[in-house]
């Protein structure tokens, strides 16, 4: 199939490469011409601007936008909507706020255009591992573009099948799912990221406890441990109930430097955690762990501990997130 991709950063460029490997054709555009030219050398069709991209795509067109949430995405969607024809589809694969998706779906439907919101998880490793896709929008459009989703998703791989799934949706175990109407995809991804905050915080606090449980002034004498946290992370990867990709990333970071000297512990948040807490308030749903993990990130920008260094190391591992440079 043919797909337009706008935004060729860490994830956007790898989405193009993964689709190309599966035999799909991508027409690409980025304000910075360098990544588009590099992808063109690998077989993509580079567009000089959005108008040129629309012209190079065959109807019914589908364009995937992979840009930061906010003004730049809104502006790009509006500009493309003015160029496209009824029956075409616009896709936002970034981390948008789900209520914006509901509004966009209605606005574009009035113009005869389709809209899909796709929560995309996989970070900088998606090219090889594949992307978990949580998709909202018209089911008919999802069905038409399903070969794209199949190519991007990781597939069953070596994960043990879940028992009692007979008769259930087969796409979920492939790593992609139509979650509902416009907004549903990014709502599910928002909750996914909220859970991610909580899981990361649990690992961070646990390793901080291990590191501090050695004989120190003021501690009872029975705290005579001298734990090697890198080795503990590694043994937990082998058969424990907390085995996960986040633990893999933690073990890798600790093996490289047990003190995590490259990290200050300043932990940013990208929005989804705040939106998750907002949804908890609006639905009167208790979410103590998720809320606390968000507040810890706020505190980390003023007071850092080893736990926050663990958080920073995990964020760098799965998403390539770099800590802000120190001021002054």
């Amino acid at each position: 199939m043919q797909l337009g991709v706008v935004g060729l950063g860490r994830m956007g460029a790898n989405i193009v490469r993964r689709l190309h490997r599966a035999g799909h054709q991508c027409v690409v555009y980025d304000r910075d011409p360098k990544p588009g030219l590099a992808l063109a050398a690998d077989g993509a069709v580079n567009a000089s601007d959005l108008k040129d991209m629309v012209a190079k795509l065959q109807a019914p067109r589908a364009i995937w936008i992979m840009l930061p949430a906010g003004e730049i995405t809104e502006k790009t969607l509006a500009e493309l909507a003015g160029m496209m024809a009824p029956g075409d589809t616009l896709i936002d694969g970034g981390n948008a706020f789900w209520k914006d998706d509901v509004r966009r779906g209605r606005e574009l439907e009035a113009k005869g255009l389709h809209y899909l919101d796709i929560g995309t998880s996989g970070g900088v490793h998606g090219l090889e591992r594949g992307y978990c896709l949580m998709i909202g929008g018209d089911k008919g459009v999802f069905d038409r573009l399903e070969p794209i989703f199949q190519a991007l998703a990781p597939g069953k791989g070596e994960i043990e099948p879940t028992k009692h799934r007979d008769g259930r949706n087969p796409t979920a175990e492939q790593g992609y799912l139509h979650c509902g109407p416009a907004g549903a995809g990014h709502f599910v991804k928002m909750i996914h990221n909220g859970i991610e905050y909580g899981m990361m915080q649990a690992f961070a606090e646990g390793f901080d406890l291990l590191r501090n449980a050695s004989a120190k002034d003021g501690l009872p004498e029975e705290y005579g441990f001298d734990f090697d946290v890198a080795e503990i992370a590694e043994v937990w990867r082998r058969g424990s109930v907390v085995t996960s990709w986040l633990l893999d990333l933690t073990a890798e970071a600790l093996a490289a430097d047990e003190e995590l000297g490259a990290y200050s512990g300043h932990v940013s948040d990208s929005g989804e955690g705040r939106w998750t807490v907002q949804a908890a308030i609006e639905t009167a749903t208790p979410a103590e762990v998720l809320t606390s993990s968000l507040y810890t990130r706020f505190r980390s920008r003023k007071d850092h501990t080893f736990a926050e260094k663990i958080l920073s190391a995990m964020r760098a591992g799965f998403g390539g997130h770099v800590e802000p440079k120190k001021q002054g």
Side-chain angles (χ1 to χ4, degrees):
M1 295 187 74
Q2 192 184 45
L3 181 73
V5 179
V6 179
L8 306 175
R10 291 190 298 255
M11 289 183 68
N14 280 344
I15 282 173
V16 172
R17 293 187 181 100
R18 189 168 175 90
L19 288 173
H20 179 71
R21 289 181 182 180
H24 299 285
Q25 182 193 54
C26 291
V27 180
V28 300
Y29 171 71
D30 193 281
R31 289 189 301 183
D32 178 357
K34 293 179 182 178
L37 292 172
L39 289 169
D42 293 334
V45 177
N46 190 32
S48 58
D49 55 27
L50 295 179
K51 184 176 181 181
D52 185 39
M53 167 176 277
V54 172
K56 283 182 163 75
L57 290 167
Q58 302 170 359
R61 304 169 187 85
I63 298 180
W64 182 308
I65 298 170
M66 204 67 183
L67 296 170
E71 183 178 356
I72 186 171
T73 294
E74 290 286 352
K75 183 178 179 181
T76 303
L77 282 167
E79 192 172 347
L80 284 168
M83 302 174 183
M84 297 173 76
D88 291 346
T89 301
L90 283 166
I91 301 167
D92 182 3
N95 284 324
F97 184 39
W98 67 275
K99 290 185 179 180
D100 289 334
D101 295 311
V102 175
R103 169 181 52 80
R104 292 170 186 167
R106 291 169 179 166
E107 291 173 351
L108 293 173
E109 183 180 19
K111 298 179 180 180
L113 300 173
H114 302 295
Y115 178 73
L116 296 180
D117 57 287
I118 301 184
T120 308
S121 182
V124 295
H125 302 276
L127 176 60
E128 302 301 332
R129 291 173 59 104
Y131 298 93
C132 176
L133 304 175
M134 296 144 269
I135 304 166
D138 183 85
K139 181 62 163 58
V141 178
F142 166 86
D143 291 339
R144 181 169 65 81
L145 296 177
E146 190 168 2
I148 295 291
F149 310 139
Q150 288 175 327
L152 290 175
K156 289 185 177 181
E158 298 179 358
I159 297 175
E160 191 73 18
T162 301
K163 296 179 180 179
H164 314 302
R165 278 195 55 84
D166 293 347
R168 287 187 171 272
N169 189 337
T171 74
E173 57 191 8
Q174 297 288 338
Y176 68 99
L177 181 69
H178 180 257
C179 300
H186 278 145
F187 190 94
V188 173
K189 177 58 160 51
M190 174 186 74
I191 302 304
H192 165 281
N193 283 28
I195 293 170
E196 177 187 296
Y197 279 35
M199 292 174 65
M200 292 172 69
Q201 186 63 32
F203 276 122
E205 292 178 8
F207 281 103
D208 204 14
L209 274 168
L210 287 168
R211 189 169 179 269
N212 289 324
S214 56
K216 293 181 180 179
D217 291 341
L219 286 180
E221 62 177 306
E222 59 264 29
Y223 279 91
F225 304 116
D226 185 17
F227 290 124
D228 186 329
V229 291
E231 296 305 302
I232 291 170
E234 186 62 30
V235 76
W236 281 354
R237 294 182 63 225
R238 313 293 172 170
S240 87
V241 296
V242 297
T243 298
S244 67
W245 187 20
L246 291 175
L247 180 59
D248 294 345
L249 297 171
T250 302
E252 183 176 345
L254 289 171
D257 175 14
E258 192 169 330
E259 297 300 317
L260 300 178
Y263 302 98
S264 71
H266 180 123
V267 187
S268 300
D269 68 286
S270 53
E272 297 91 337
R274 302 185 190 207
W275 298 336
T276 299
V277 172
Q278 180 180 335
I281 293 170
E282 291 178 347
T283 61
T285 302
E288 297 96 330
V289 171
L290 308 188
T291 302
S292 177
S293 66
L294 175 65
Y295 289 166
T296 297
R297 295 194 178 200
F298 296 163
R299 180 188 52 73
S300 78
R301 297 159 206 175
K302 298 180 180 180
D303 179 30
H304 313 317
T305 68
F306 186 73
E308 276 76 60
K309 289 187 177 185
I310 291 281
L311 290 176
S312 286
M314 281 188 275
R315 293 185 84 243
F318 69 72
H321 301 291
V322 179
E323 291 180 340
K325 293 181 180 179
K326 294 181 180 179
Q327 300 297 318

